[in-house]
Amino acid sequence: MTVEFGIIGGSGFYSISSKGVEENIETPFGTVAVNIFDINDRKVAFITRHGLKHSIPPHLVNYRANIFALHSIGVKQIITSSAVGSMKEEIFPGSFVIPDQFIDFTIGRPKTFFVDNFEVKLNNGSIRKGVVHVDLSEPYCPHLRDELFIQSKKIAKNAFNNGVYVCTEGPRFETPAEISAFKILGGTLVGMTSVSECVLARELGICYSTICLVTNFAAGMQEKISTEEVFAVFKSKVLELEEIIVNTIANLEISAKNCSCDK
Ligand code: HPA
């Protein structure tokens, strides 16, 4: 089976409206449930990052299994959604942001496929093994980002291009002091998930981009942050989010790909 596109749905985005076929994909890291469906004539696999009932917290997501499962069915481009807090006054809750950089503050997650003589055949046919240092000068695929932003602007009232995603370990939210430090470092958004996926996808030569939905201002910029608030904002925007991702996949001009994610 060859499936060109993958979607990983984050908090609040657990399924896609189109009916698909459920499959369990075995990987060296565990079994992954995917739902495979069509967008126009393009085959797409959907994975829910936190499980259907949001039972898997960000620090325990099996990132390697999810990315490897998509790779093993042929996926070359992955779009994900991420709930985030905003560190900029002008990017308020309900906004969509397509980040172009990240800073990684995670501490306890497997960060690479390449341990114990791991060897993999990429979907461009080349073999990758041994000591692997991938280039992350452009961590999020520019080709996917451009189309995501075009489609976001058509659908969402507030869409922002570019920004630095700061990834924390979670599952707790941050302290105001941490947010002040992240601002000094140049952070725009704070979340708990997107970075491991982005790095692992690059290790397998897969284009990866995320669309962030701002659910709150970061700690210290509003009174308190609650999980209920995060989910309420997400629920109010999830249909827009789905439409943006579906339209991005439907309109992406693969032949015009201008990235080097699989090089
Ligand atoms: N911090 C980290 N992750 C998040 C936040 C936040 O403020 N909001 C939604 N996900």
Side-chain angles (χ1 to χ4, degrees), residues 90-178:
E90 64 276 20
I91 306 182
F92 36 84
S95 306
F96 289 97
V97 188
I98 321 294
D100 63 330
Q101 287 289 326
F102 70 67
I103 302 176
D104 187 7
F105 278 102
T106 62
I107 44 173
R109 308 174 188 189
K111 295 196 183 235
T112 177
F113 285 110
F114 294 95
V115 289
D116 299 333
N117 298 320
F118 188 79
E119 179 173 329
V120 64
K121 187 171 184 195
L122 306 191
N123 286 328
N124 67 6
S126 63
I127 302 284
R128 200 166 262 182
K129 62 179 179 181
V131 178
V132 170
H133 300 286
V134 286
D135 174 55
L136 284 173
S137 302
E138 258 191 314
Y140 298 102
C141 171
H143 186 60
L144 285 178
R145 278 200 289 117
D146 286 350
E147 193 62 44
L148 269 173
F149 185 57
I150 291 169
Q151 299 303 331
S152 302
K153 272 197 306 188
K154 285 189 191 158
I155 290 162
K157 217 161 111 210
N158 297 296
F160 297 84
N161 206 6
N162 302 331
V164 179
Y165 178 110
V166 175
C167 196
T168 59
E169 181 66 13
R172 65 170 177 85
F173 290 116
E174 300 69 38
T175 64
E178 286 170 328

Side-chain angles (χ1 to χ4, degrees), residues 1 3 16 18-25 33-38 43-46 73:
M1 172 179 31
V3 180
I16 203 102
S18 321
K19 281 267 163 294
V21 179
E22 297 284 343
E23 297 223 8
N24 282 328
I25 303 195
V34 301
N35 184 19
I36 297 176
F37 63 99
D38 294 307
K43 284 239 165 297
V44 185
F46 184 92
I73 54 175

Side-chain angles (χ1 to χ4, degrees), residues 11-118:
S11 302
F13 186 25
Y14 304 121
S15 63
I16 203 102
S17 311
S18 321
K19 281 267 163 294
V21 179
E22 297 284 343
E23 297 223 8
N24 282 328
I25 303 195
E26 309 292 334
T27 80
F29 309 96
T31 306
V32 178
V34 301
N35 184 19
I36 297 176
F37 63 99
D38 294 307
I39 295 177
N40 297 345
D41 56 349
R42 297 181 162 175
K43 284 239 165 297
V44 185
F46 184 92
I47 294 177
T48 163
R49 184 188 287 131
H50 299 283
L52 282 179
K53 296 196 174 131
H54 202 101
S55 55
I56 311 168
H59 61 298
L60 297 179
V61 170
N62 195 342
Y63 295 102
R64 288 192 298 187
N66 289 348
I67 298 296
F68 198 88
L70 293 174
H71 160 78
S72 69
I73 54 175
V75 165
K76 294 202 181 92
Q77 352 241 2
I78 299 176
I79 296 176
T80 74
S81 70
S82 314
V84 293
S86 167
M87 292 188 267
K88 299 268 185 212
E89 296 289 350
E90 64 276 20
I91 306 182
F92 36 84
S95 306
F96 289 97
V97 188
I98 321 294
D100 63 330
Q101 287 289 326
F102 70 67
I103 302 176
D104 187 7
F105 278 102
T106 62
I107 44 173
R109 308 174 188 189
K111 295 196 183 235
T112 177
F113 285 110
F114 294 95
V115 289
D116 299 333
N117 298 320
F118 188 79

